Structures are given as structure tokens and as C-alpha cells.
Amino acid sequence: MRDLIIKKEILRREFIIWMVLFALSFVLNLFAIIKYNSNWMELITQIHIVLFISLFLYAFSAIVRILYSGLRNLYRSFKKPAE
Amino acid sequence: MDNLFLINRREFLKKISAFAGSTAVVASMPWLKTFSNDLHGKSPNEKVRLGVIGVGDRGRALLLNLQAFMNEANVEIAAVCDNYEPNYQRAINITGGKAKAFYDYRKLLEMKDLDGVIIATPLHEHKRMTIDALNAGMHVFCEKAMARSIDDVKLMYDAHVETKKILQTGHQRMFSPVYLTAIDKIHSGGLGQVTHMRAFWHRNGDWRRPVPKGHPELDRKINWRLYDEYSAGLFTELLSHQMQVANWVKKSYPVSVVANGSINFWKQGREVYDDIACIFDYEDGTQFVYDSINSNKHYGIEEQILGSKGTMELEMNKIYSETPPPPPAILNLINDIEKGVFRTIPIGGASWIPETASNYHGEFIEQNYKMDESKLQLEAFVRYIREDKAPEELTLQGYYSSVWVLLAEQAAKTRERVELPKKYLV
């Protein structure tokens, strides 16, 4: 079995992706509070839901990216001339 | 666990003292007043000596409850009594032989140094034991309901008035922190106008207890709840508690009752109904709808208080506002997005929206509730003995609860609307 090596760059990239998604979720909460005329305290009190949404979006983005890279590899293997 | 209980109990007593300081609260729960009063009967240094008559299932529970606080409250269980040998032996075992044991309650009442007795015998025995104890100069804690007939309930009440001795009934919800907080909220308008009450107590079982082999003659003694001569079944054994709660909520008593009852499931020789339904009508038009069965326990027990501004489910310790707080905005947004994406397109069927129950899960009436009100009511009884009196409202709650469940039984048997005859008004 091969060892799985996660490079520092990959870790940093994934962290940045999650941070962006967290910021997006936070903005979503901000938008919701304005739209439903809710209490500004929800920016803090509902942070667990924001965190959950960001993790959900991250998982979703990971699935999309894995699917994309899988399809791309498949396409490349078909394009490779037969030896 | 014991420590936790003690801490909470102390907090509760503190809360009761705070309650007792409020004029409004004392008006609706006067039995709390004693917790802030001076003691006129016995000082805390003097032992309160109690006797326990009847050590069946309930009597055993009360005895154990007493033991749990007897040292702290300077109480002595001086005597026990039961005329059924296994219970007699059980009483001796529980008290470690320290209490004098009797088969005949009259011998126990001859002990002149007893301050009070706790009566937990079958219902039909309550009257003579209570009256004899009161006449012997003892304070009485009698399990609910008070007696098998309305005349007997009245005789017990009259004896209490004549002897000026305490007569407390085992309606323990009057000492429950949840109920005390709930009733305070209700009486201060927290539910708006209470116009309707619903309660039920559903069990799945025949109530029949095993009779020792070779002794069929003991069946009626052991299974007294099943026989009309000794008990009114679901009316006196279960409804009695919820009747008291309904009266407490309304700060009033019903003006009439209609009821039905049947034996439709357990038909092996029982004489009391295993399925009852009643509607009590209060003077202001409030309806109290009640049912109790022995053949299904899915819904269990509950008292639902329905007001114009909210609902309470007292057994579940829950309060539900008619205008529940909105969910957090972010969840609202997600719901709206979900509705937009997965909305159903009607292609036929009902054109109305079904008015199903609200999904709102409500709030707790009382937080961190861990106390046993059966024990609290006994602690209160000891306090009342030390003061040499108990608030009359406490006895009246037991009296009217006992009277009205028996009137409900009468309504079910006659299939007629029944009112309280004036001679029973006290």
C-alpha cells in the first residue's frame, strides 16, 4: 500500500478554500438577518450553523473537484495513443 | 446524586420562600405561606413523631421518602401498621425494627406521643382511620382520593374542622416546582385567558396484582382497586390528581360534570371501568375534558392547559406560546431556498392546508428540575405539624378534588349531568 502524502501546499489550498466558504456562509447569514429583519446577535449565536454550512459547502466542493479530476484523468487516458 | 438532590431541594425551598413573600402567589398557593411563618407547634429541636398506616406500594414509597429526610428534619418514624402480613414484615424491615409495629391501626392511635399519621391504605379505609386519628388528636396526611363516598369525604372534612387538626391529602403536584412555577405563570396571565383544559392518563395493564397461591380470599384485599366496594377505579386512583390540577388552574371548582365509562378490554372479573371519559364545566364556561384507559399507554399522562396566548403541558414541563419566536434567519433562508427548489406542484387533491399541530417544540416551564414532589409534600406536612396548622386551601384542594371525581363516577354510572349538591359545599 502506498503512503499518502499530503503536501503543505495542498493543505494551505484546502484551508483557503474552506475559509472562503466560511466567509461566504457568514455573508449568507448577514443577508438572512437583513432579509428577515432578525436580531444582529444571530451573527454570533448562530455561528454553529454558519460553521455547519461552510463544512457542507466544503464537502460539496470536494466532491465536485474529485469528480472533475476523475473525469479529466479518464479523458486523458482515452486520448493517449495506444502503445 | 443525593448531594445534587439536596442542593436542588435547598434551591427549591429558597424559591418557595421567595414565592411565599409575594402576596399574589400566596393568594393562589397559600400552602406555601407556611414556609415563611414562625413555628407554633414544635420547635426544630423537638422530634416530630409519625406513624405510617398502610405499607403497600404507596405506603412503602412514602416511608422511604420519610426516611430520606428524617434526620435532617428531626423526624422519627415511631410506628408502622399494616394488617397484611407481608406488608407488616416489610414495614419492620424498612424501619429496621425501630418503629413499633401494629396489625390494628387503633392500637397505633393509642400511642399518645404521636404527632401525626400518614395513611396509605385502600381507599375505603381512609374515612374511619382519618376520623379516628383526628379525634385522637393527631394530624393526618391521607393519600388521595379522600374516601369512597362523598358523604365519607364530607365526614372527614368535618372531623378536620371540629378537631382543628391538619388534614393534608396526597396531591403532590401542589408541591412540584414545575407546577408551582406553571400555576404562577398562569395566574399572572402568562397564558392569557384559560378557556379549555384537557388531561388524560393512559396505561396498558389490568392493575391486577398477584395473589398468593392457595389464598383466593385475598384477591379483593390485594386487588381492591378493581372492586366497586373499595374503589372508583380510574376516577379515584388517577383522575383525582388531575382534577386537583384543573381546579388549581381555574382557582375554582366545576359546576357540573357529564361522564361515560365502560369495561371494554379487561373483562376478567373487574367491577370498575377500564375506560372513562368526562367533561367538567366551570362557571366561566371553561371545559375540562378528561379521559383515562387501561388498554393503551402511547399517550401516557398529561395535563394540557389551553389559553388565548399559549399552552402548557404540565407533565412534560413545557410551555408553548401562540406566537412562537421565529427561527434564526439563516434557517429561515435555508427553508425558503429548500421550498423554492423542492416545492410540490399540486395536480389535484385537497385545496386546503391541513391544520395539523404546530411543530414548535416550546420552552421548559422550570429548568433543571430534579426533585421528588412526593418527598416535598411530606416535608411540608412535617413543617405544618411544627406550625400546628396548615392553610385551609390545602385541605380544600383535596376535598373538592375527591368530591368531584366521585361526582364524575356518579355521572358515568347514571349517564346524567351531575351537579354538586349544596350540602357538600364547604
Side-chain angles (χ1 to χ4, degrees):
Chain A
M1 197 173 167
R2 273 195 315 164
D3 287 338
L4 187 65
I5 299 162
I6 302 174
K7 288 181 186 164
K8 202 175 163 186
E9 293 78 41
I10 295 176
L11 269 179
R12 188 187 297 148
R13 187 190 70 199
E14 293 302 312
F15 183 70
I16 289 168
I17 290 172
W18 175 71
M19 282 296 286
V20 167
L21 292 172
F22 181 80
L24 186 73
S25 309
F26 194 83
V27 169
L28 204 66
N29 191 20
L30 199 73
F31 168 74
I33 290 169
I34 295 165
K35 178 173 161 62
Y36 296 100
N37 198 20
S38 210
N39 193 329
W40 285 105
M41 280 299 286
E42 286 182 16
L43 277 179
I44 299 160
T45 58
Q46 302 307 315
I47 199 75
H48 59 289
I49 294 176
V50 170
L51 187 70
F52 178 80
I53 292 170
S54 71
L55 290 172
F56 175 79
L57 291 176
Y58 176 76
F60 183 73
S61 81
I63 291 167
V64 170
R65 283 182 293 140
I66 288 166
L67 274 176
Y68 173 73
S69 87
L71 286 172
R72 195 179 57 183
N73 290 344
L74 202 66
Y75 176 73
R76 277 182 186 163
S77 70
F78 275 124
K79 267 190 85 179
K80 232 184 236 179
E83 287 173 17
Chain B
M1 193 63 197
D2 263 343
N3 281 342
L4 232 181
F5 176 82
L6 281 173
I7 290 163
N8 284 329
R9 193 174 58 76
R10 280 196 199 107
E11 281 168 5
F12 173 63
L13 292 177
K14 226 191 288 174
K15 186 172 183 171
I16 286 220
S17 301
F19 263 146
S22 149
T23 315
V25 171
V26 169
S28 54
M29 299 172 228
W31 47 92
L32 296 184
K33 201 178 170 198
T34 196
F35 286 96
S36 63
N37 277 1
D38 296 331
L39 307 175
H40 303 295
K42 285 197 144 192
S43 81
N45 297 328
E46 290 176 278
K47 267 200 189 312
V48 169
R49 290 167 55 81
L50 297 176
V52 178
I53 304 173
V55 194
D57 281 353
R58 187 61 183 157
R60 174 181 171 272
L62 294 175
L63 196 52
L64 293 173
N65 276 332
L66 268 178
Q67 283 186 323
F69 72 90
M70 58 189 276
N71 291 334
E72 193 186 340
N74 202 13
V75 172
E76 181 187 347
I77 302 165
V80 286
C81 173
D82 204 300
N83 63 5
Y84 180 49
E85 185 62 29
N87 291 352
Y88 175 84
Q89 292 301 334
R90 168 197 275 175
I92 293 172
N93 290 340
I94 291 174
T95 54
K98 287 176 188 163
K100 279 189 184 172
F102 299 93
Y103 288 105
D104 186 338
Y105 80 95
R106 288 166 297 191
K107 297 281 178 203
L108 180 146
L109 296 183
E110 284 172 11
M111 289 176 70
K112 294 295 171 202
D113 53 351
L114 283 185
D115 297 301
V117 290
I118 290 164
I119 298 172
T121 54
L123 179 67
H124 68 292
E125 303 270 26
H126 288 179
K127 181 202 79 173
R128 64 183 181 130
M129 291 178 174
T130 298
I131 292 175
D132 287 351
L134 291 169
N135 286 332
M138 293 171 196
H139 299 296
V140 173
F141 175 97
C142 180
E143 259 306 329
K144 61 80 217 167
M146 280 171 71
R148 181 63 191 91
S149 75
I150 303 175
D151 284 325
D152 286 354
V153 174
K154 180 71 166 54
L155 287 171
M156 288 164 74
Y157 180 80
D158 290 344
H160 147 74
V161 173
E162 276 164 29
T163 58
K164 295 187 175 62
K165 292 290 167 188
I166 296 163
L167 175 54
Q168 182 179 338
T169 54
H171 292 96
Q172 66 266 22
R173 283 163 183 76
M174 284 191 280
F175 298 91
S176 155
V178 171
Y179 283 72
L180 289 166
T181 307
I183 298 290
D184 185 32
K185 278 185 182 161
I186 293 168
H187 290 174
S188 55
L191 290 189
Q193 185 187 341
V194 172
T195 55
H196 197 84
M197 297 181 284
R198 300 195 302 198
F200 48 86
W201 201 327
H202 294 180
R203 288 177 170 174
N204 194 344
D206 63 356
W207 271 7
R208 196 170 277 286
R209 289 170 176 168
V211 175
K213 273 185 186 167
H215 292 282
E217 76 281 2
L218 289 175
D219 177 53
R220 290 177 79 86
K221 185 176 182 64
I222 292 169
N223 290 306
W224 57 271
R225 285 177 189 81
L226 303 178
Y227 298 103
D228 193 64
E229 186 183 348
Y230 315 123
S231 170
L234 297 169
F235 291 102
T236 45
E237 307 312 317
L238 301 185
L239 166 61
S240 177
H241 283 296
Q242 292 157 307
M243 187 77 246
Q244 183 272 316
V245 172
N247 291 342
W248 191 14
V249 167
K250 289 309 295 177
K251 286 198 272 188
S252 172
Y253 308 108
V255 289
S256 69
V257 56
V258 288
N260 275 313
S262 61
I263 302 172
N264 67 27
F265 190 75
W266 299 105
K267 298 182 179 177
Q268 298 91 341
R270 74 189 285 143
E271 293 170 4
V272 297
Y273 298 140
D274 62 5
D275 185 333
I276 62 167
C278 332
I279 303 175
F280 297 87
D281 183 26
Y282 285 77
E283 199 169 7
D284 67 353
T286 299
Q287 304 296 307
F288 171 39
V289 182
Y290 183 81
D291 59 82
S292 184
I293 54 175
N294 277 141
S295 52
N296 179 301
K297 62 178 167 46
H298 178 71
Y299 289 106
I301 176 176
E302 193 53 85
E303 297 97 41
Q304 301 167 329
I305 313 301
L306 283 64
S308 55
K309 291 183 184 168
T311 303
M312 275 188 186
E313 289 183 344
L314 298 171
E315 297 285 343
M316 292 294 286
N317 186 15
K318 280 296 190 81
I319 180 169
Y320 309 87
S321 169
E322 282 289 279
T323 49
I330 184 81
L331 291 182
N332 244 339
L333 185 70
I334 291 169
N335 281 341
D336 283 357
I337 292 169
E338 200 182 354
K339 272 183 205 159
V341 174
F342 299 110
R343 75 178 186 277
T344 51
I345 300 162
I347 52 169
S351 57
W352 46 270
I353 300 165
E355 289 184 83
T356 50
S358 158
N359 280 328
Y360 170 44
H361 296 296
E363 317 291 334
F364 286 113
I365 296 169
E366 178 69 40
Q367 303 285 341
N368 304 321
Y369 159 58
K370 282 194 177 71
M371 281 151 286
D372 178 355
E373 52 261 27
S374 289
K375 188 186 285 185
L376 291 168
Q377 68 174 349
L378 291 175
E379 291 197 59
F381 181 54
V382 170
R383 285 293 298 239
Y384 297 140
I385 289 175
R386 290 201 183 282
E387 200 185 331
D388 199 31
K389 67 172 183 190
E392 192 56 15
E393 184 59 29
L394 183 79
T395 310
L396 288 177
Q397 288 280 328
Y399 176 80
Y400 279 112
S401 162
S402 301
V403 164
W404 274 99
V405 299
L406 292 167
L407 289 171
E409 184 206 16
Q410 190 183 318
K413 282 182 171 173
T414 60
R415 299 292 198 259
E416 284 176 358
R417 181 174 176 271
V418 173
E419 295 179 3
L420 176 69
K422 280 201 169 70
K423 63 176 177 175
Y424 297 118
L425 280 171
V426 293

